Each structure stands twice: as structure tokens, then as C-alpha cells.
Amino acid sequence: QVQLVETGGGSVQAGGSLRLSCDVSEWHYDSYCLGWFRDIPGKEREGVAAIDSDGGTMYDDSVEGRFTISQDSPKNTLYLQMDNLKPEDSAEYHCAAAKGRGFCRSLHYRYLEVWGQGTQVTVST
């Protein structure tokens, strides 16, 4: 079973930045979609950002222009740079992967195959 492990969560004031990292070294496919989703109590799971094996990216409207998804050159680590954070960004963030491109086209979590246990992000006013 492939394991994905997130790090980098924490607490920050509104307007601040955090960078989340995810070890994806166990994900060995030539074609894939990697991404991040977040869980907020009482709300439906929300896809945040995605990147495919060709480097194409997609963002939810709520984070467009503030969050940046990327991979390092060996493609062992997935990042989510989060700038200008808002209180409504507070959530448990999970990195995720799929061999298909469905999540990269729609940001809908039903297309995801594996995900990590998550890291908490708390943004205060």
C-alpha cells in the first residue's frame, strides 16, 4: 500500500504563509495526478489544487492566486505553497494521488486513489 505523508501544517495569522510538503516517493507511475484536498468539519471535502504528470495545474477558485502547487525535480515531494491565508482556509489538508486524470480535471475527490492522514492548518484573525 502506497503511503503519502504530509508535513508543514501549523498555526498562522491571517495574511501569513505556510508551505505544506508531501512525500510521494512511493508513487511510481509515468502518468498521474497529484493534489491536495481539505476537510473542514461540517462541510463537504474540498479539492484545492492539482498537478498532473505533464506539469499542468488546476486550482479551486477560492485559492486561485494565493496557493501554488508544485513538485521537486526528482518528483519525490509535492508542495502546496499557501500565501495570504484567510481564516476560512483553516482545515485538515491531505495530499492525494491517482493514476487517472479525473481529479486534475475536476478537483473532485471521488477520482483519488490514495491520500495521507493529513496536516492541520489553522488561520487566526
Side-chain angles (χ1 to χ4, degrees):
Q1 179 73 18
V2 172
Q3 286 193 323
L4 306 180
V5 181
E6 306 94 342
T7 56
S11 298
V12 65
Q13 287 191 318
S17 298
L18 284 173
R19 188 174 79 159
L20 306 183
S21 301
C22 179
D23 181 355
V24 296
S25 60
E26 294 187 15
W27 190 256
H28 301 296
Y29 296 97
D30 292 333
S31 178
Y32 58 78
C33 175
L34 300 176
W36 296 87
F37 67 84
R38 60 190 180 188
D39 285 327
I40 301 172
K43 294 186 67 176
E44 184 177 5
R45 176 166 290 176
E46 181 179 50
V48 173
I51 185 167
D52 63 34
S53 44
D54 297 320
T57 59
M58 183 171 183
Y59 297 93
D60 184 76
D61 288 345
S62 65
V63 306
E64 181 83 55
R66 300 188 297 121
F67 290 12
T68 304
I69 189 170
S70 63
Q71 271 189 282
D72 64 346
S73 179
K75 297 190 175 182
N76 290 330
T77 307
L78 179 70
Y79 299 103
L80 185 67
Q81 176 68 40
M82 305 186 294
D83 298 317
N84 191 21
L85 281 160
K86 304 176 180 181
E88 52 264 42
D89 294 320
S90 297
E92 186 171 71
Y93 284 74
H94 301 257
C95 66
K99 293 185 290 294
R101 302 288 184 102
F103 184 75
C104 282
R105 296 191 188 101
S106 67
L107 291 180
H108 198 288
Y109 59 87
R110 70 174 180 265
Y111 295 104
L112 298 171
E113 296 174 33
V114 295
W115 50 88
Q117 291 192 332
T119 185
Q120 181 68 36
V121 171
T122 303
V123 185
S124 59
T125 56

